Amino acid sequence: NAQAAMAAPALLQPPGGGPAPFLSQDLAGEWQCGFGRGDSPQASPVSQVARWKKVVIPGSYREQGWDAPSGSLWYVRRFDLPELPKEPFTARFNLGAAEGVDHVLINGKLIGSTGRITNPDDLSTALRGYAVPAGLLKPGANEIAIFVQFDTAAPLSPGNGNLATPLSLEFF
């Protein structure tokens, strides 16, 4: 990028500056975490994880008793929406940051990712905000899965695979 400063795409800009959400669901807290097998975010996390461990976010999985070599992790959180807001509405999932390349799925569908190409200057600290496609959320049980690829020794994809807050679902 020839040392030129690049702004993150609008989708990745920190939340704010737009309309305030009329409803927000905080998703920080207890998540399931597991080591990934392979590097495919399109695969189901259930079939890609050898064993699951509860982790609390914010917080480092390493500080909670796990040590992961470079590779990939799945984070999964199930949550309930008693009802959806009346149409029309838009929804956004906010992820504070991911220490690595992230891929976010809601109810099994990829809604966004951030990598070296979309944010080459500061991958591990970029705030993420992904639009949730209409019709993807449903009343009742829903699931968010975050696949993080990281390499603790690589200069291009640094990090430990941790997630940072905010972790929230907002409705506009």
Side-chain angles (χ1 to χ4, degrees):
N1 111 14
Q3 303 302 325
M6 293 176 58
L11 180 64
L12 302 177
Q13 294 293 335
F22 63 80
L23 178 64
S24 181
Q25 183 159 354
D26 185 9
L27 296 170
E30 194 172 276
W31 286 64
Q32 296 292 320
C33 180
F35 297 118
R37 292 183 185 164
D39 59 359
S40 175
Q42 287 77 27
S44 164
V46 173
S47 66
Q48 291 292 303
V49 174
R51 67 186 170 144
W52 293 96
K53 183 174 179 72
K54 291 180 183 176
V55 295
V56 176
I57 301 170
S60 164
Y61 65 87
R62 290 175 191 263
E63 293 171 359
Q64 297 178 54
W66 266 33
D67 188 31
S70 297
S72 59
L73 291 171
W74 281 101
Y75 293 90
V76 175
R77 169 94 188 244
R78 290 175 181 85
F79 64 98
D80 286 321
L81 291 174
E83 61 183 325
L84 291 178
K86 293 188 191 282
E87 297 282 346
F89 68 88
T90 60
R92 178 178 65 208
F93 174 67
N94 296 312
L95 169 56
E99 292 182 5
V101 174
D102 71 276
H103 305 270
V104 177
L105 298 89
I106 292 185
N107 293 330
K109 303 289 184 192
L110 183 67
I111 65 163
S113 64
T114 299
R116 289 181 289 278
I117 293 172
T118 56
N119 200 31
D121 295 324
D122 206 2
L123 175 65
S124 293
T125 59
L127 298 178
R128 282 95 154 138
Y130 300 120
V132 179
L136 194 54
L137 294 167
K138 58 188 183 213
N142 291 271
E143 179 182 86
I144 293 181
I146 304 171
F147 182 72
V148 181
Q149 296 167 290
F150 60 98
D151 186 346
T152 57
L156 294 177
S157 182
N160 291 314
N162 290 308
L163 303 179
T165 55
L167 287 164
S168 63
L169 186 61
E170 295 180 324
F171 295 90
F172 299 88

